[in-house]
Amino acid sequence: MVRFERFEVEQWMDTYETTPGVLNIAETCAESVSIDELVRLSEDEAANPLQTGTALTYGAIRGSPALRGRIASLYQGEQLSADHVIVTQGAIAANFLVFYGLVGPGDHVICVYPTYQQLFSVPESLGAEVSLWRLRPEHGFLPDMDDLEKLARANTKMIVINNPNNPTGVPIPTDLVRKIVDFAKARGIIVLSDEVYRPLFHDGAENNENMPPSAAELGYEKVIVTGSLSKAYSLAGIRVGWIASGDQAIVERLAQARHYTAISVSQLDDQVANYALSPAVRRPLLRRNISLAKRNVDMVKAFVERHGSLCTWVAPTAGTTAFIQFQVGGRPVDDVAFCRDVLDKTRVFFVPGSRCFGRGHDFAGYVRVGFAGSTAVLAEALQRLGVYVEHSFRQ
């Protein structure tokens, strides 16, 4: 029997997010849209999101050529084509498939930390040894190359990064992404870059010279990127994600492994995804979501500044999440008890950092806030949370 740890963040969400009257600022997707809203956003009035005359067979096993071509076009350069892409049921299935197909006993994996627990717990469950590459707030939650040098071994099979990062909302800048990829290339190590929050950069995705490149764009074939339409594209409900790699042998290996986990994605989901990634829809959808994220993160920033004696953070500049530490008397609060008490007394719901992103006492006092949902919900949640901390922590 495969041994696996409890997936703490998903367990926490499953337990509490349906609490009656909840103000959910734990959710990490940009505010969801309907198909009707996609059509209204579209700059091409003639386009149709669904081909209703299509027979609902399994469809293309790896995803339709049209959708895989759209996904490949998200990456600059000529390294990726439709043949380098596999469509999956969300990024969570994409990440699982990468580990399932490539990692096992005797392998060593280095993974940034904190990050989505799947990225280190799944390779451990498959028998690999995992070293956690600690991201420190005093370094802006950026990876330290000296630490990577110390962690690497002769049997290091894979380096796992998450860019932009969940839970911190901090992107790895261009020069550092290049250094990580160059480090791996010199040693023949695979790089898995979970880019599920790309391209939700708060200073824009169009003509933005400061936006770091995807790891897939840096000329190393053994880079694997995963992504989805759930976070930056507001379409979690269609369950479409992907794997892309310039190494055709890796793609074929993962395609073979995929037969054990899925035949294909839904043809309806495939069609909606292809429509959403068409230039006429993708551009206005991203503009909407970047504007939403920027507006809402400014609200969180105002909250942190207003309560600066009680909480600190590294301000996120991408993605949909912020990692905020609450302290009383210079000591981190018990974040698990804090989250439960806030939920009980205010119906504001977010995620405890030590339980859902740490091991032992790591990230004590931290909570993850998802800020890219409804602006009205976030405003009400922050107002209630402000009253709570003023009353509870200043007595």
Side-chain angles (χ1 to χ4, degrees), residues 56-116:
L56 295 180
T57 64
Y58 284 120
I61 300 304
R62 298 188 187 189
S64 69
L67 175 56
R68 289 187 288 120
R70 294 256 201 246
I71 292 167
S73 72
L74 299 177
Y75 304 98
Q76 301 295 319
E78 301 178 354
Q79 296 164 28
L80 297 181
S81 69
D83 290 337
H84 296 107
V85 176
I86 302 172
V87 179
T88 62
Q89 285 88 351
I92 195 167
N95 290 331
F96 185 90
L97 186 60
V98 169
F99 295 128
Y100 178 66
L102 298 176
V103 170
D107 292 330
H108 176 239
V109 174
I110 299 170
C111 182
V112 294
Y113 172 74
T115 192
Y116 194 52

Side-chain angles (χ1 to χ4, degrees), residues 100-136:
Y100 178 66
L102 298 176
V103 170
D107 292 330
H108 176 239
V109 174
I110 299 170
C111 182
V112 294
Y113 172 74
T115 192
Y116 194 52
Q117 184 185 333
Q118 180 195 34
L119 297 178
F120 53 85
S121 284
V122 170
E124 285 180 332
S125 75
L126 296 170
E129 187 174 358
V130 177
S131 295
L132 298 176
W133 188 6
R134 181 69 177 260
L135 309 177
R136 300 178 177 85

Side-chain angles (χ1 to χ4, degrees), residues 10 22 25 31 33 52 70 119 121 158 197 210 225 239 286-287 327 346 355 358 361 384 392 394:
E10 298 300 342
V22 69
I25 55 170
E31 187 175 15
V33 294
T52 55
R70 294 256 201 246
L119 297 178
S121 284
M158 186 179 292
Y197 292 95
N210 296 320
V225 293
R239 306 309 305 132
L286 278 178
R287 285 196 294 267
Q327 299 183 2
T346 72
R355 168 71 65 85
H361 298 291
R384 293 189 192 182
S392 300
R394 293 195 183 278

Side-chain angles (χ1 to χ4, degrees), residues 44-226:
D44 180 358
E45 295 180 1
N48 186 347
L50 289 176
Q51 305 302 313
T52 55
T54 302
L56 295 180
T57 64
Y58 284 120
I61 300 304
R62 298 188 187 189
S64 69
L67 175 56
R68 289 187 288 120
R70 294 256 201 246
I71 292 167
S73 72
L74 299 177
Y75 304 98
Q76 301 295 319
E78 301 178 354
Q79 296 164 28
L80 297 181
S81 69
D83 290 337
H84 296 107
V85 176
I86 302 172
V87 179
T88 62
Q89 285 88 351
I92 195 167
N95 290 331
F96 185 90
L97 186 60
V98 169
F99 295 128
Y100 178 66
L102 298 176
V103 170
D107 292 330
H108 176 239
V109 174
I110 299 170
C111 182
V112 294
Y113 172 74
T115 192
Y116 194 52
Q117 184 185 333
Q118 180 195 34
L119 297 178
F120 53 85
S121 284
V122 170
E124 285 180 332
S125 75
L126 296 170
E129 187 174 358
V130 177
S131 295
L132 298 176
W133 188 6
R134 181 69 177 260
L135 309 177
R136 300 178 177 85
E138 61 268 27
H139 294 161
F141 283 125
L142 293 176
D144 186 307
M145 291 301 298
D146 289 339
D147 289 345
L148 180 60
E149 290 271 5
K150 295 171 185 175
L151 292 172
R153 304 176 186 173
N155 66 332
T156 300
K157 180 75 172 289
M158 186 179 292
I159 297 170
V160 182
I161 60 176
N162 176 204
N163 194 25
N165 179 264
N166 171 21
T168 68
V170 174
I172 305 173
T174 299
D175 62 335
L176 195 46
V177 177
R178 290 187 184 279
K179 287 178 181 178
I180 294 168
V181 170
D182 288 346
F183 179 94
K185 185 176 182 179
R187 296 160 178 79
I189 299 170
I190 296 168
V191 175
L192 169 59
S193 184
D194 178 335
E195 299 179 358
V196 72
Y197 292 95
R198 183 182 177 86
L200 204 62
F201 294 89
H202 301 167
D203 53 356
E206 296 177 339
N207 303 314
N208 181 357
E209 296 180 355
N210 296 320
M211 187 172 76
S214 166
E217 299 169 0
L218 298 181
Y220 180 38
E221 287 189 343
K222 288 188 177 181
V223 167
I224 304 167
V225 293
T226 56

